[in-house]
Amino acid sequence: MMRGDFSPGKGSNLSNDLEDRLRKALETRDRVEQQFRDQNQKLWAIMFIDASPSAQAVWKKDTAEAEALFDEYQHVAREQLMLYGPTFVDPAGGPQIVCCYEEVEQALKAANSLLDAMLEWNASRMGEEPLVPAIGLHKGYVVYRDGVLQQSNSANMAARVKGKAKPGQVLVSSELAKDLAKSQDFKFSKVGTYELKNIPEPQDLYEALPAKLPAPMKKAASKLPAYLAAKVQAGAGAVSGEKRTHNWAMVYIDVCGSTKKFWSYGDREATRLIEEYQKICNKTFTSQGCCFLRNCEGDQIVAGFELDNIDRAAVAAIQILQGLFKRNLTVRDNQKVQAAIGVHVGEMIFQGEEMLQSKDMRIGKMTQSSATAEDILITQQVVDTMHPDLHQFIAPFKTIKFEGLPDPTTLYTLKWFRTQLNTTHLRKILTTLYTNHRPKYR
């Protein structure tokens, strides 16, 4: 056969070979995706409950009084949630709760039972401002590993739905409303079509209301199935253990635009990228001597530093953004991960092994939420506590009134990019600060 003479048989073989390889590649991908789903995912209704918008009066109280009030709120709320057999309840305290149910109807019944219980509880608090949660629900595959609810498109959707709910309102996604369209117990009223943060497609949201007022549910444990009665009696899902308070520098870090970035990736690829990002962050925080480190809420990481090490908290934040910047130079655009960081000083509260929420912790988280990609925002309290040698890298940002908090918060930017605070300069500052012992700047 002459050069360039491709017979029909030869071309057909090449085409068949290419099709065969493509088919095998797709089969492998589908098999890996299915294996990830079988091992790590659950098809659950996921519910976000948040009383933060109505909690401003609580944060005005002293710490002990605020803690006691949130503890009572959590007890009342969790008692109702447990009656309907949740598959997961986030153990953290404060004004927020995340929980999941296998059955959508059970999730909605729990939500309405919780709001009814809140009405009674608030009525019993004579003269106090009511603490009323807003609730958002969605149904989908969530990533659940080692007893922890991790980053997933379904969790992101539920959180965004909750963000549109008003105190005392239960909003659900269109998927969940369709799932219960024939329910005799609930009716759904469309409240609008919304552009939800970092979710590419507009979403129809519905308010879920009982079709009729149900008779009060019997709450005695003896009326429940045995396995649920045992959970209720044991206080399952509630936080337990000794309560401790630490006055620390706290660093909150989150992936920017993760909802939008991971929406088209799928949960398996999102999980891989998050694990890579967590490895960079955790290694840096540990090397700088943090006294507390926790991966939580999907891609959020929280680190605590003793006040004598507050400069190292700032350095850790800088090194993390530098590390992510270097990593992003070597990967494709769709594999890049950018983070935003917030640093604050104040009380971090724990009960047993669980992290609760204090006013300062809320300020820390809201500071991080105010940061954009590759930004480090710090509060006035951090500036006042840091070593003066680091003040040259600080610039004013703005003063913000955070939702649910009584007082405005003054924020600054910690500059880290390019040569302004390179590794050599960092090493020199740290050597100066820690050759003997760090003097206390209070």
Side-chain angles (χ1 to χ4, degrees):
M1 182 173 65
M2 295 179 61
R3 182 180 299 176
D5 179 15
F6 295 97
S7 66
K10 183 70 172 178
S12 177
N13 289 337
L14 287 173
S15 177
N16 289 340
D17 182 57
L18 181 60
E19 289 179 4
D20 187 55
R21 282 186 290 169
L22 180 59
R23 177 182 57 79
K24 289 181 178 179
L26 291 174
E27 288 176 351
T28 299
R29 184 201 64 182
D30 291 344
R31 186 169 61 253
V32 171
E33 291 287 349
Q34 187 61 50
Q35 184 179 20
F36 176 84
R37 174 164 291 180
D38 292 342
Q39 293 177 351
N40 302 286
Q41 291 189 300
K42 306 288 185 182
L43 181 58
W44 286 346
I46 177 169
M47 176 160 56
F48 277 71
I49 304 160
D50 189 5
S52 298
S54 63
Q56 182 169 326
V58 181
W59 296 126
K60 290 181 179 179
K61 300 177 182 294
D62 63 53
T63 300
E65 193 176 356
E67 283 180 38
L69 189 55
F70 279 130
D71 285 349
E72 191 175 348
Y73 157 80
Q74 287 275 341
H75 176 77
V76 172
R78 288 170 185 273
E79 183 180 41
Q80 302 306 311
L81 297 176
M82 296 307 300
L83 293 174
Y84 293 89
T87 51
F88 167 82
V89 182
D90 183 6
Q96 300 173 334
I97 306 175
V98 182
C99 60
C100 298
Y101 293 82
E102 284 188 359
E103 300 296 331
V104 173
E105 197 152 2
Q106 293 301 99
L108 273 179
K109 287 179 179 179
N112 280 276
S113 183
L114 184 153
L115 290 179
D116 288 343
M118 286 291 113
L119 285 174
E120 295 180 15
W121 178 63
N122 282 312
S124 71
R125 299 168 55 230
M126 301 296 293
E128 295 278 355
E129 288 290 326
L131 194 58
V132 183
I135 300 177
L137 290 102
H138 176 61
K139 179 184 178 181
Y141 282 97
V142 300
V143 180
Y144 181 71
R145 298 198 301 184
D146 302 323
V148 178
L149 198 66
Q150 301 187 345
Q151 167 81 33
S152 69
N153 285 341
S154 294
N156 288 332
M157 174 65 85
R160 300 298 185 237
V161 173
K162 182 271 298 176
K164 294 298 181 181
K166 300 174 183 177
Q169 188 177 43
V170 180
L171 289 189
V172 304
S173 64
S174 57
E175 289 89 345
L176 194 146
K178 289 175 184 176
D179 196 69
L180 285 183
K182 297 181 180 180
S183 172
Q184 300 297 310
D185 295 319
F186 293 96
K187 57 184 180 181
F188 300 91
S189 174
K190 184 176 176 180
V191 295
T193 301
Y194 297 90
E195 297 283 348
L196 301 181
K197 182 180 177 181
N198 290 329
I199 292 179
E201 304 91 1
Q203 300 293 320
D204 294 334
L205 300 186
Y206 295 79
E207 183 172 14
L209 295 166
K212 55 184 177 180
L213 292 176
M217 180 177 177
K218 297 293 185 181
K219 298 178 182 177
S222 60
K223 300 292 184 180
L224 298 172
Y227 79 100
L228 275 183
K231 284 186 176 182
V232 172
Q233 289 172 340
V239 183
S240 60
E242 179 188 0
K243 187 173 288 187
R244 309 179 311 282
T245 299
H246 301 279
N247 192 32
W248 284 344
M250 59 194 80
V251 184
Y252 283 79
I253 177 169
D254 219 336
V255 174
C256 290
S258 59
T259 303
K260 184 176 182 180
K261 175 183 285 290
F262 299 149
W263 192 260
S264 60
Y265 283 5
D267 291 338
R268 183 177 65 86
E269 179 65 10
T271 299
R272 186 190 69 78
L273 286 177
I274 288 171
E275 287 175 346
E276 190 173 338
Y277 141 83
Q278 287 174 338
K279 183 177 180 180
I280 292 172
C281 297
N282 293 347
K283 181 179 179 181
T284 304
F285 281 132
T286 301
S287 69
Q288 289 299 335
C290 68
C291 51
F292 171 78
L293 183 59
R294 177 73 53 85
N295 300 326
C296 54
E297 292 186 24
D299 51 24
Q300 182 184 109
I301 300 175
V302 184
F305 288 78
E306 293 181 350
L307 289 190
D308 284 353
N309 281 343
I310 190 171
D311 303 315
R312 288 188 177 272
V315 168
I318 292 165
Q319 290 181 331
I320 285 170
L321 290 194
Q322 289 178 338
L324 290 174
F325 180 81
K326 291 177 182 178
R327 173 197 174 277
N328 289 339
L329 292 175
T330 65
V331 299
R332 300 190 303 274
D333 285 347
N334 64 352
Q335 300 291 308
K336 292 179 180 178
V337 174
Q338 294 178 308
I341 300 178
V343 189
H344 179 55
V345 168
E347 291 184 332
M348 295 187 72
I349 302 175
F350 301 86
Q351 189 162 0
E353 296 299 316
E354 298 305 328
M355 183 172 62
L356 305 183
Q357 190 176 77
S358 66
K359 179 171 69 174
D360 285 317
M361 294 165 75
R362 181 162 176 77
I363 292 173
K365 173 54 184 168
M366 297 299 286
T367 297
Q368 181 277 317
S369 297
S370 301
T372 55
E374 300 187 330
D375 275 349
I376 303 171
L377 293 184
I378 62 178
T379 62
Q380 182 69 58
Q381 291 89 331
V382 175
V383 175
D384 293 343
T385 315
M386 288 172 65
H387 193 286
D389 283 0
L390 291 175
H391 287 186
Q392 61 186 305
F393 306 110
I394 295 170
F397 182 65
K398 61 181 175 181
T399 298
I400 269 184
K401 179 71 167 56
F402 291 139
E403 181 184 44
L405 292 173
D407 303 314
T409 301
T410 301
L411 302 179
Y412 296 81
T413 300
L414 182 59
K415 298 179 288 186
W416 64 272
F417 44 89
R418 298 187 180 177
T419 59
Q420 289 180 311
L421 198 52
N422 58 36
T423 304
T424 303
H425 200 159
L426 278 176
R427 190 177 298 113
K428 181 179 179 181
I429 289 175
L430 286 174
T431 300
T432 301
L433 295 177
Y434 294 98
T435 299
N436 297 310
H437 66 276
R438 182 192 184 284
K440 293 178 173 56
Y441 291 85
R442 300 282 193 273

